[in-house]
C-alpha cells in the first residue's frame, strides 16, 4: 500500500498543480484578454470619433439652421411673426389670433395650434396657405375653412407649429458618433431653404430707471 | 549480479512496470506543466504591457475628444434636430388635400363662386355656385379628366333661379 502511494503521489501533485494553474492562470489570462479586446474596440471608436469631430468643426451654421427649423422651446412668438409676415406679403388681413396649449405629437415632438382668421382674395389666401411649407419653424396647415361673399374671401385657419426639447446630455465618451448620412445631408439641404424668422431669440431689454410712485 | 533483496520484499513484476510507466508519465507531466506555466506567464506579461499601452493611448484620445466638446455638442444637436424633423414629416397635415383643392380651384377658374370650402387632414368639402349649366358641365368635365383625388362624392345639388347651381362635393384621398 505504501509503495502504491509513493508511486502515485508525484503524479497526483503534478495534476493538482496543473489544475490550479489552469483554474487561476487561464482565468487571469482570459480576463486580461477580454480587457485588451475591449480597449482595442474603445480605441477604434475613439479614433473614429475624434476624426469625425475634427472634420465637422465648421458645422455651427448647420446647427443654427436646424434649431431654427425645429426650436427647442415653444415657438409661438416666432411662428406668429412668420404668419404676420406671410399675410402682409400676400396682402391679407389677419384677425382673432389664438393659440392652444402645446401637445406632444410623437417621439418628444410637440405642436402648438394657432387659430386665426383672415380676409383677402381666394388666390392670395391659397398662396398664403401653401407657403407654410417654406417657413421656419416647421409648421403645417391642419385645417382651414374658406367662404366667399361679395368678392371677398374669409378664411378660418388652424396652423400647427412644431418644436422639440433639446437633448439634455452628450452621449458617453466611448460612444461612437458618425458624420451626417446621405439622407441627413439631403434633409439639411431642404431645411436650409426655409425662410428664417427675423429673430430667433428675444434679448432681454436693458435696465431702465424705475420711477418712485411715492415720491414723484 | 547478486540480488541481496529477500524474495518476500521483491517487487511484483507487473507492479514494477506500472511504477516505471508512472514515473515517465510524471516526468512528462512536469515538463508540460513547466512549459504551460511559462507560456501562460509570458502571455499575461505581454498582455499587461499591451493593455497599459492601450490605456495610455485611450487617455490621450479622450483628452483630445474633450477638447472637441463644442463640435460634439453641435453635431449631437444637429443629428437630434434632423431626426425630430424627420418625425414631423410623418405627422398629420392637410397639405396633400390643400394641394389637390388648389389644383381643382385653378382648373375651375375664378368664375364659379366657392361659397364654402373646408379642408382638414382627412378630406376636403367644397360648395360651389355655378351661374349656369355650361359652367357646371365644364367643371365636371375637367374634374373627371384631371381630378387630383381618388374619390369625389356629390354631397348636395341644388338650383336657385337667381344664383344658379349650388353643388356640394367631398374629396377624399389625394392621389
Amino acid at each position: 500500500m505504501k509503495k502504491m502511494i509513493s508511486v502515485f503521489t508525484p503524479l497526483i501533485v503534478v495534476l493538482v498543480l496543473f489544475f490550479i494553474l489552469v483554474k487561476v492562470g487561464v482565468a487571469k489570462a482570459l480576463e486580461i484578454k477580454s480587457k485588451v479586446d475591449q480597449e482595442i474596440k474603445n480605441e477604434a471608436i475613439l479614433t473614429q470619433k475624434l476624426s469625425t469631430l475634427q472634420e465637422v468643426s465648421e458645422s455651427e451654421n448647420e446647427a443654427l439652421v436646424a434649431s431654427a427649423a425645429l426650436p427647442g422651446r415653444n415657438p409661438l412668438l416666432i411662428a406668429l411673426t412668420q404668419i404676420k409676415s406671410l399675410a402682409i406679403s400676400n396682402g391679407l388681413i389677419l384677425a382673432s389670433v389664438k393659440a392652444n396649449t402645446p401637445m406632444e405629437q410623437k417621439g418628444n415632438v410637440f405642436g402648438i395650434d394657432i387659430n386665426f382668421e383672415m380676409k383677402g382674395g381666394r388666390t392670395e389666401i391659397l398662396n398664403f396657405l401653401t407657403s407654410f411649407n417654406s417657413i421656419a419653424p416647421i409648421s403645417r396647415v391642419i385645417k382651414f375653412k374658406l367662404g366667399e361673399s361679395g368678392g371677398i374671401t374669409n378664411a378660418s385657419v388652424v396652423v400647427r407649429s412644431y418644436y422639440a426639447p433639446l437633448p439634455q446630455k452628450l452621449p458617453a465618451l466611448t460612444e461612437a458618433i458618425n458624420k451626417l448620412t446621405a439622407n441627413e445631408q439631403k434633409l439639411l439641404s431642404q431645411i436650409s431653404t426655409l425662410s428664417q424668422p427675423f429673430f430667433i431669440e428675444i434679448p432681454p431689454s436693458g435696465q431702465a430707471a424705475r420711477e418712485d410712485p411715492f415720491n414723484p | 549480479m547478486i540480488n541481496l533483496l529477500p524474495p518476500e520484499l521483491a517487487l511484483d513484476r507487473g507492479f514494477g512496470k506500472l511504477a516505471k510507466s508512472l514515473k515517465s508519465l510524471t516526468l512528462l507531466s512536469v515538463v508540460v506543466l513547466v512549459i504551460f506555466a511559462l507560456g501562460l506567464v509570458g502571455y499575461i506579461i505581454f498582455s499587461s504591457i499591451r493593455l497599459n499601452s492601450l490605456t495610455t493611448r485611450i487617455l490621450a484620445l479622450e483628452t483630445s475628444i474633450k477638447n472637441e466638446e463644442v463640435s460634439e455638442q453641435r453635431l449631437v444637436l444637429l443629428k437630434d434636430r434632423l431626426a425630430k424633423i424627420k418625425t414631423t414629416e410623418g405627422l398629420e397635415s392637410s397639405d396633400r388635400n390643400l394641394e389637390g383643392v388648389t389644383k381643382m380651384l385653378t382648373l375651375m377658374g375664378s368664375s364659379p363662386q366657392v361659397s364654402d370650402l373646408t379642408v382638414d387632414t382627412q378630406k376636403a368639402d367644397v360648395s360651389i355656385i355655378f351661374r349656369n349649366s355650361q359652367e357646371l358641365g365644364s367643371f365636371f368635365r375637367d374634374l373627371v379628366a384631371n381630378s387630383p383625388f381618388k374619390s369625389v362624392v356629390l354631397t348636395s345639388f341644388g338650383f336657385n333661379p337667381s344664383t344658379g347651381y349650388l353643388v356640394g362635393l367631398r374629396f377624399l384621398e389625394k392621389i
Side-chain angles (χ1 to χ4, degrees), chain B residues 21-67:
Chain B
S21 302
L22 278 175
K23 197 175 172 184
S24 305
L25 185 62
T26 305
L27 194 62
L28 185 64
S29 304
V30 167
V31 169
V32 168
L33 178 69
V34 166
I35 292 172
F36 184 72
L38 285 173
L40 200 58
V41 166
Y43 177 80
I44 290 173
I45 291 171
F46 171 74
S47 296
S48 298
I49 293 169
R50 196 175 174 205
L51 185 62
N52 285 340
S53 165
L54 279 167
T55 305
T56 306
R57 290 207 298 268
I58 283 172
L59 281 172
L61 282 168
E62 284 177 352
T63 305
S64 299
I65 285 173
K66 279 178 187 164
N67 292 338

Side-chain angles (χ1 to χ4, degrees), chain A residues 8-50:
Chain A
F8 277 99
T9 300
L11 184 60
I12 291 169
V13 165
V14 169
L15 287 175
V16 166
L17 284 174
F18 198 78
F19 176 76
I20 293 170
L21 187 65
V22 165
K23 198 162 166 50
V24 174
V26 170
K28 183 74 183 168
L30 287 174
E31 185 193 328
I32 291 182
K33 183 182 182 304
S34 165
K35 281 184 187 170
V36 166
D37 289 343
Q38 186 57 47
E39 294 294 77
I40 289 171
K41 272 188 204 164
N42 286 345
E43 188 190 21
I45 290 170
L46 291 174
T47 305
Q48 184 265 338
K49 189 170 179 174
L50 181 63

Side-chain angles (χ1 to χ4, degrees), chain A residues 87-107:
Chain A
I88 289 168
S89 65
N90 283 285
L92 300 168
I93 301 168
L94 272 183
S96 303
V97 181
K98 291 176 208 167
N100 295 344
T101 311
M103 300 269 289
E104 185 171 0
Q105 303 298 308
K106 185 181 175 185

Side-chain angles (χ1 to χ4, degrees), chain B residues 11-169:
Chain B
L11 273 180
D12 179 31
R13 193 166 279 185
F15 186 80
K17 279 187 186 169
L18 174 66
K20 213 171 176 182
S21 302
L22 278 175
K23 197 175 172 184
S24 305
L25 185 62
T26 305
L27 194 62
L28 185 64
S29 304
V30 167
V31 169
V32 168
L33 178 69
V34 166
I35 292 172
F36 184 72
L38 285 173
L40 200 58
V41 166
Y43 177 80
I44 290 173
I45 291 171
F46 171 74
S47 296
S48 298
I49 293 169
R50 196 175 174 205
L51 185 62
N52 285 340
S53 165
L54 279 167
T55 305
T56 306
R57 290 207 298 268
I58 283 172
L59 281 172
L61 282 168
E62 284 177 352
T63 305
S64 299
I65 285 173
K66 279 178 187 164
N67 292 338
E68 297 287 340
E69 194 171 300
V70 171
S71 296
E72 190 179 4
Q73 284 175 6
R74 281 194 204 126
L75 187 56
V76 166
L77 173 64
L78 183 55
K79 282 182 156 287
D80 174 80
R81 294 295 92 182
L82 290 174
K84 299 249 167 68
I85 288 168
K86 194 76 191 160
T87 303
T88 66
E89 287 181 356
L91 297 175
E92 61 172 7
S93 88
S94 62
D95 284 355
R96 285 167 61 86
N97 289 336
L98 171 59
E99 189 189 326
V101 159
T102 305
K103 196 171 170 185
M104 184 201 69
L105 292 178
T106 308
L107 282 173
M108 199 172 79
S110 57
S111 178
Q113 183 186 332
V114 176
S115 72
D116 191 45
L117 169 65
T118 303
V119 176
D120 61 29
T121 58
Q122 304 299 319
K123 62 189 182 314
D125 285 325
V126 62
S127 296
I128 311 172
I129 298 173
F130 298 93
R131 287 175 308 181
N132 52 56
S133 57
Q134 282 83 16
E135 267 184 10
L136 181 66
S138 175
F139 171 75
F140 275 107
R141 270 194 300 277
D142 286 337
L143 191 64
V144 167
N146 300 304
S147 175
F149 291 94
K150 274 186 191 169
S151 165
V152 182
V153 177
L154 182 68
T155 53
S156 66
F157 189 92
F159 176 73
N160 184 318
S162 56
T163 53
Y165 297 91
L166 177 62
V167 177
L169 295 165

